[in-house]
Amino acid sequence: MKSKTSFFKALSAVVWKDLVAELRGKEMLSAMMVFALLVIFIFNFALELDPKTRNALTAGIIWVTLTFSGTLGLNRSMAVEKDRGCLDGLLLAPVDRTAIYFGKSIANWVFMLITAAILLPVYSILYNTNLFSWGLVLVILLGSEGYVAVGTLLSSMSIQARTRDILLPILLFPVIIPVLIAAVKATGGFLAGETFSSLTTWIYLLIGYDVIFTSVAFMVFDAVVEE
Amino acid sequence: MKDKPKLLTVLDGVTLVTFLAATAMVFFYAPTERVMGAVQKVFYFHVAAGWVGMVSFFVAAVVGVIYLIKKSPNMDLIGIAAVEIGIIFTLINIVTGAIWARPIWNAWWTWDPRLTTATIMELVYIAYLMLRQGIDDPERRARFGAVYAIVGFLSVPLTFFSIRIFRTIHPVVIGGSDPSAVGAFDMTPKMFQTLMFSIVVFSILFIDLIWHRVRLGKFQNYLEELKIKLQV
Amino acid sequence: MEETLNTINYALAGFVVIFGSILGYIASLFIRFNNLKKDEEILSDQD
């Protein structure tokens, strides 16, 4: 059982390293947050969000905002590793590579959830509605998991390319569309007050996509980081 | 570079002859459809091109897996060849679909699941080319290409399922399900034979093109090595 | 019975796209191959 404990040790070490570094600097989270707010403001004027149209669009706006600020975070979290030479250090360390993948994914996931946890209340205040429901929380958990599962894998590739900053969204968005469709549909359903049982199709789809994307990303991650 | 293999020359000839035969079949053998008229003739190569596009991307994903296991450079050459050809044929598929849709559906574009999925698939593989372009080290380029070909191909059916849950208006000609779809038609035996022959011919064309592209890739690699040798 | 639509122009455009794309790709293969041959000559001259 020794290898198992060391796997979880390595994994939690990677997660902690990211979270502590971020708590000290708060560069990434603040950038994601400000960016998310700006996107909402731009949407407000671009789409003239009066109450009638807004209800139909809220789900889409939430996910577009999360997606865009998510790429910001993914790019940043990998760029930091690369530029400070941490990635090489991590890879030289005698730990399971997949522990690094899951560690980075979980850290990215946490950052996305923090962004969502601030974005949604702010949105509620700005438009004087109550978005909160447990269903929505579940959808955001599942949707962002699928997003970071692929995003972490692809950002660790894009960061090693010459065109690194512009490459990630181009690689990530077409692949992640199924997750986004399911997430937007489920979010829209919960916001419209539909019951959980009427939205199970989308929830199951989200779970299925999460499982597929996470397992594939985890299987091929070795190939991305090997030198 | 080594001379062109004889078999490839033969294949070139077979491709050319059968392709001309298929074109002749489309124009002179298959009857003109009663309602849609001439534009329906695009349908045979439209389907065949879509088929080659899907096969190409499937091949790219399969050789991607093999590459990651065996690390043989030949697999990477097949992978990039398949993706390039897949992009060309998927483009033919999408554009001819739009040209057909304009008179029949009265719009160049509809947000139909197949059309949308095909276009997203096209974008995935354009991203694949951009990823490769950004990486200089050939070994790493091959590895990343293989990974992205696998992940990208996996997401295509998922995208299709997601969009499919909306209603489709695409006519399902083979194994038809919804006769009310605009543009659906009954295939006569001659039409069916023409379609099948077109698919076979496009498959031959695919093999021929991929062979040529792989040879080009080998030539490229050979020159790269030569350059490095000369610099040392 | 519906009348047959006159869609000759669309059909023509469709086949132009099909043949044009395939021939265009074959031409690109040709051009790339010839460029490589030129490179090869330059490289072998340097030897």
Side-chain angles (χ1 to χ4, degrees):
Chain A
M1 292 307 283
K2 191 172 178 300
S3 66
K4 205 173 181 186
T5 37
S6 73
F7 177 85
F8 283 110
K9 253 188 194 161
L11 183 126
S12 57
V14 174
V15 178
W16 271 119
K17 174 191 75 66
D18 271 27
L19 295 185
V20 169
E22 186 52 38
L23 278 180
R24 222 178 283 144
K26 299 189 190 64
E27 284 171 337
M28 192 165 86
L29 270 178
S30 50
M32 285 169 80
M33 225 71 89
V34 173
F35 182 81
L37 259 180
L38 286 172
V39 172
I40 288 186
F41 271 77
I42 289 171
F43 267 130
N44 181 61
F45 295 113
L47 301 176
E48 296 191 28
L49 293 176
D50 52 86
K52 233 191 227 164
T53 50
R54 200 171 58 229
N55 286 339
L57 293 175
T58 302
I61 291 171
I62 289 172
W63 278 102
V64 169
T65 312
L66 278 179
T67 311
F68 286 177
S69 59
T71 42
L72 223 62
L74 286 170
N75 253 333
R76 178 75 194 155
S77 103
M78 275 299 168
V80 167
E81 301 281 353
K82 182 83 182 155
D83 294 345
R84 295 182 191 157
C86 300
L87 198 58
D88 303 327
L90 270 180
L91 297 177
L92 285 175
V95 294
D96 198 340
R97 294 276 164 81
T98 49
I100 298 172
Y101 168 73
F102 282 120
K104 289 302 284 184
S105 302
I106 291 172
N108 287 332
W109 194 21
V110 170
F111 293 140
M112 246 186 116
L113 292 178
I114 294 174
T115 313
I118 296 174
L119 173 75
L120 291 178
V122 169
Y123 192 96
S124 306
I125 293 167
L126 287 177
Y127 291 112
N128 200 22
T129 52
N130 180 22
L131 293 182
F132 183 84
S133 70
W134 287 111
L136 185 62
V137 172
L138 178 69
V139 174
I140 288 191
L141 279 170
L142 291 174
S144 50
E145 201 282 330
Y147 183 85
V148 295
V150 187
T152 307
L153 174 78
L154 295 184
S155 67
S156 55
M157 297 205 299
S158 68
I159 213 65
Q160 301 184 52
R162 246 183 295 117
T163 44
R164 56 194 219 173
D165 289 333
I166 50 169
L167 197 56
L168 178 64
I170 292 172
L171 291 180
L172 179 56
F173 289 173
V175 175
I176 208 67
I177 281 175
V179 173
L180 289 183
I181 293 171
V184 168
K185 282 282 148 190
T187 306
F190 281 121
L191 291 181
E194 285 177 43
T195 56
F196 190 87
S197 54
S198 66
L199 293 167
T200 42
T201 323
W202 294 111
I203 300 284
Y204 287 151
L205 268 184
L206 267 178
I207 294 172
Y209 294 164
D210 284 0
V211 170
I212 293 171
F213 276 134
T214 309
S215 42
V216 169
F218 141 80
M219 281 190 282
V220 294
F221 185 73
D222 248 7
V224 171
V225 291
E226 78 184 25
E227 288 305 325
Chain B
M1 198 60 196
K2 280 161 276 163
D3 290 325
K4 193 170 164 186
K6 228 180 210 145
L7 190 60
L8 184 56
T9 316
V10 174
L11 187 62
D12 283 348
V14 171
T15 310
L16 186 67
V17 170
T18 51
F19 196 87
L20 290 177
T23 311
M25 248 179 120
V26 166
F27 283 110
F28 305 115
Y29 182 73
T32 306
E33 211 270 332
R34 264 173 315 169
V35 184
M36 291 183 272
V39 77
Q40 184 269 334
K41 293 204 177 288
V42 168
F43 156 81
Y44 305 105
F45 288 178
H46 165 77
V47 173
W51 155 257
V52 169
M54 276 309 290
V55 170
S56 306
F57 296 143
F58 176 68
V59 167
V62 171
V63 293
V65 173
I66 299 173
Y67 178 83
L68 290 185
I69 297 167
K70 296 210 165 153
K71 296 282 144 74
S72 81
N74 280 343
M75 288 300 138
D76 181 52
L77 290 179
I78 300 176
I80 175 73
V83 167
E84 254 184 31
I85 294 163
I87 286 176
I88 297 290
F89 281 89
T90 307
L91 187 72
I92 292 176
N93 179 250
I94 295 168
V95 176
T96 52
I99 288 169
W100 175 86
R102 175 70 193 135
I104 307 302
W105 290 343
N106 223 354
W108 294 106
W109 179 267
T110 56
W111 291 97
D112 159 79
R114 289 198 207 183
L115 193 51
T116 315
T117 309
T119 311
I120 293 169
M121 183 166 78
E122 185 84 343
L123 290 174
V124 167
Y125 290 96
I126 290 172
Y128 170 96
L129 291 186
M130 294 174 85
L131 171 68
R132 292 184 69 110
Q133 241 162 26
I135 301 166
D136 297 319
D137 174 28
E139 194 269 336
R140 180 183 287 171
R141 184 167 58 215
R143 250 191 299 127
F144 286 12
V147 167
Y148 195 66
I150 296 167
V151 175
F153 189 75
L154 197 85
S155 87
V156 169
L158 304 186
T159 304
F160 184 72
F161 282 133
S162 277
I163 308 175
R164 189 64 196 252
I165 300 186
F166 303 119
R167 199 171 49 115
T168 178
I169 66 165
H170 198 111
V172 181
V173 177
I174 298 168
S177 57
D178 181 12
S180 66
V182 178
F185 60 96
D186 290 325
M187 272 201 287
T188 64
K190 279 186 176 179
M191 285 176 169
F192 185 73
Q193 288 155 14
T194 309
L195 176 64
M196 286 300 133
F197 188 64
S198 302
I199 290 175
V200 171
V201 168
F202 268 61
S203 306
I204 298 172
L205 177 64
F206 167 66
I207 295 167
D208 189 49
L209 286 177
I210 212 168
W211 194 337
H212 280 287
R213 182 60 183 84
V214 168
R215 285 187 75 231
L216 183 77
K218 276 191 179 155
F219 197 11
Q220 258 166 349
N221 288 356
Y222 161 77
L223 284 184
E224 292 285 315
E225 279 168 27
L226 202 64
K227 268 181 205 165
I228 293 167
K229 261 185 211 159
L230 286 174
Q231 276 166 0
V232 172
Chain C
M1 196 66 232
E2 278 181 85
E3 244 176 88
T4 306
L5 290 165
N6 181 10
T7 48
I8 289 279
N9 290 337
Y10 291 106
L12 211 65
F15 283 102
V16 167
V17 168
I18 293 168
F19 295 128
S21 309
I22 295 173
L23 289 178
Y25 186 67
I26 293 172
S28 98
L29 285 177
F30 249 108
I31 292 166
R32 283 188 275 178
F33 208 86
N34 282 339
N35 286 344
L36 288 179
K37 264 187 185 160
K38 272 180 210 156
D39 284 0
E40 191 187 23
E41 277 168 27
I42 295 168
L43 285 175
S44 56
D45 284 347
Q46 281 179 347
D47 252 341

